[in-house]
Amino acid sequence: MNVSSRIALILPLVSLISLNCHADEKAVSITPVGSVGDQPAPEFLDLTKTIHAAIVKKAAEQEAGEMKAYTETAPEAEDAEFEMLPIPGGTFTMGSPEGEEGRKADEGPQREIKIEPFWMGKVEVTWDLYRQFMDNENLNYVTRNKNGSLNRDNDRQTPEPNKAEGDETLVDILSQPTAPFHVMHFNMGNGAGYSEDYPACSMTQHAASKFCEWLSAQTGHYYRLPTEAEWEYACRAGSKTAYSFGDDASKLEEYAWFRKNARIDAVYEYEYQPVGEKKPNAWGLHDMHGNVAEWVIDSYQTSYAKVPNGTLNPVQLSKDRYPRVVRGGHFEMDADGLRSAARHPSHPSWKENDPQAPRSIWYHTKARWLGFRIVRPAKIPPVEEMHLLWNTGPGEL
């Protein structure tokens, strides 16, 4: 599928978006398969355009060069830092072969997939980076409407225009979560609280995507969730085996926290662990297997049947809130759930502990094993793609 065809697939989804942007249309880096609906989040479109323009401007001011690892600082997260590693572009076989032990039918049919270069977080997003976004109501003394816009009329049910007033900044008026009803670290981590050592957890896919928007606005770099194809490509790091280190599950304890080695707490029995303590894969990424499971952008489809061979970075989309995809397995899972090709669909039961009606679009209060990591494409995509991939959620019930 050529670039024009891919853009043609995107445009019906974002018909309000002008094509008059500064980014190179050839920078389109995904191939949508399916749709999120006619007009994803039109109320936030102007904000996307503003952020996109700032990212393009910053890129124009910097010299192009070889992709290298770097450390980024997030000013709005009390200068929390995170490391990004370069992931080379290439072609790989997505999914597992029929003879792989522990394989499920949704891991096929296998497909040859093309991936363009990107950076990926060395570890999962940690609490010191995520908390300021998540807990902005308490930390910044503001209130939010249900859709995350600033609440200026004391009615959380009525979204208001996303226009800055007074001394409000662009970051202030971006959609951000309403306050959680209890501590979201669930007292895991031996009293560490919202520590830089532990992965943030229990957010929805929508919350993770809006965090990426929030992070992009303050850094001038475009961050988003990985596509399912990007995630598996990065996890495999050139391998074709069940795990990034081979097929021998007896070695998994060297690389991952899972059911066999994460039993710590007498109440919950299993807990998340500090990020980056286990061996990395061949591309330097830690915890791709286990610890917390990781959100990707895609909706969950029962196979790759609709993805043609040779597709550039497919993204399977749906307007439905459930199911969406998480990857990597987590600290309560057995080894086969941590394989590079293993896929896990989200479920409404992940919200069973949410006391609200309707339930929050920001939290999965029963999924304390659920987190994410971020990517940054090497090329800045058109504003249409940027807006779409920040607004694939929350989806329809």
Side-chain angles (χ1 to χ4, degrees):
M1 184 176 293
N2 59 36
V3 171
S4 298
S5 297
R6 292 197 299 275
I7 292 175
L9 280 171
I10 294 175
L11 291 183
L13 310 179
V14 287
S15 57
L16 291 180
I17 299 175
S18 169
L19 274 175
N20 186 24
C21 58
H22 297 291
D24 182 355
E25 291 183 359
K26 294 181 180 179
V28 170
S29 63
I30 63 165
T31 302
V33 179
S35 168
V36 298
D38 295 333
Q39 298 171 0
E43 69 275 23
F44 299 129
L45 177 58
D46 286 343
L47 295 177
T48 303
K49 290 180 177 178
T50 299
I51 299 168
H52 183 270
I55 291 172
V56 170
K57 181 175 183 295
K58 182 171 182 174
E61 294 170 348
Q62 297 176 332
E63 293 185 8
E66 181 184 355
M67 289 180 64
K68 297 180 179 178
Y70 67 93
T71 299
E72 183 91 279
T73 299
E76 298 294 333
E78 298 182 339
D79 290 335
E81 295 182 340
F82 56 99
E83 294 182 67
M84 300 294 292
L85 302 183
I87 307 298
T91 299
F92 82 112
T93 301
M94 187 173 183
S96 60
E98 292 188 0
E100 183 170 297
E101 186 174 355
R103 180 184 191 270
K104 295 182 179 179
D106 64 357
E107 298 167 21
Q110 288 183 291
R111 292 289 190 254
E112 295 298 309
I113 299 298
K114 299 176 182 176
I115 299 291
E116 296 199 325
F118 60 96
W119 285 271
M120 190 173 219
K122 182 177 180 179
V123 299
E124 294 147 341
V125 170
T126 48
W127 277 123
D128 59 325
L129 189 59
Y130 189 73
R131 187 196 179 186
Q132 188 73 39
F133 166 78
M134 176 195 73
D135 211 10
N136 72 93
E137 283 194 313
N138 291 326
L139 297 174
N140 298 335
Y141 306 105
V142 299
T143 59
R144 296 276 170 184
N145 295 307
K146 291 293 186 181
N147 76 339
S149 59
L150 281 174
N151 175 21
R152 298 190 182 94
D153 63 0
N154 295 319
D155 183 351
R156 288 180 180 269
Q157 305 298 330
T158 56
E160 295 156 53
N162 296 298
K163 302 291 185 182
E165 296 182 2
D167 59 355
E168 293 170 354
T169 67
L170 172 63
V171 172
D172 293 334
I173 62 175
L174 293 177
S175 177
Q176 296 175 51
T178 52
F181 280 85
H182 53 74
V183 293
M184 295 306 296
H185 51 69
F186 298 94
N187 296 312
M188 295 187 291
N190 195 28
Y194 294 116
S195 167
E196 63 183 351
D197 296 328
Y198 289 88
C201 68
S202 301
M203 70 293 292
T204 61
Q205 184 201 51
H206 174 66
S209 281
K210 301 310 284 186
F211 168 83
C212 293
E213 178 185 56
W214 176 83
L215 188 64
S216 301
Q218 62 186 278
T219 61
H221 289 147
Y222 171 48
Y223 293 105
R224 61 167 169 77
L225 290 178
T227 67
E228 189 170 13
E230 287 171 335
W231 190 96
E232 184 171 329
Y233 177 71
C235 179
R236 291 186 176 280
S239 69
K240 297 181 179 179
T241 47
Y243 305 95
S244 61
F245 54 85
D247 289 317
D248 187 357
S250 69
K251 296 181 178 179
L252 189 57
E253 286 189 80
E254 300 176 29
Y255 295 85
W257 295 106
F258 63 118
R259 195 170 186 83
K260 189 174 182 180
N261 61 3
R263 185 169 185 168
I264 301 295
D265 184 83
V267 176
Y268 290 121
E269 294 190 343
Y270 300 93
E271 289 190 356
Y272 61 28
Q273 304 295 321
V275 298
E277 288 199 342
K278 295 295 185 180
K279 289 181 178 178
N281 69 11
W283 289 345
L285 301 166
H286 293 263
D287 304 316
M288 295 298 287
H289 303 298
N291 211 8
V292 291
E294 300 179 11
W295 280 117
V296 296
I297 292 176
D298 298 56
S299 66
Y300 176 82
Q301 305 299 321
T302 56
S303 77
Y304 298 131
K306 295 181 179 179
V307 179
N309 262 318
T311 301
L312 172 66
N313 199 6
V315 185
Q316 301 206 80
L317 299 174
S318 170
K319 64 181 180 181
D320 298 328
R321 186 171 300 182
Y322 301 101
R324 304 291 173 100
V325 182
V326 297
R327 287 300 209 107
H330 56 76
F331 57 81
E332 291 186 359
M333 278 189 165
D334 292 321
D336 61 352
L338 277 63
R339 290 175 299 107
S340 300
R343 310 170 69 216
H344 307 286
S346 65
H347 193 273
S349 63
W350 295 3
K351 282 187 180 295
E352 283 182 350
N353 296 342
D354 189 337
Q356 302 177 85
R359 286 171 168 166
S360 172
I361 63 174
W362 303 104
Y363 303 100
H364 278 308
T365 45
K366 201 175 180 181
R368 60 194 182 93
W369 36 256
L370 178 60
F372 68 104
R373 78 177 69 210
I374 57 176
V375 299
R376 175 189 165 197
K379 298 177 182 177
I380 302 171
V383 67
E384 297 93 339
E385 180 179 312
M386 190 176 289
H387 187 72
L388 172 65
L389 298 187
W390 281 340
N391 294 284
T392 59
E396 298 178 6
L397 291 173

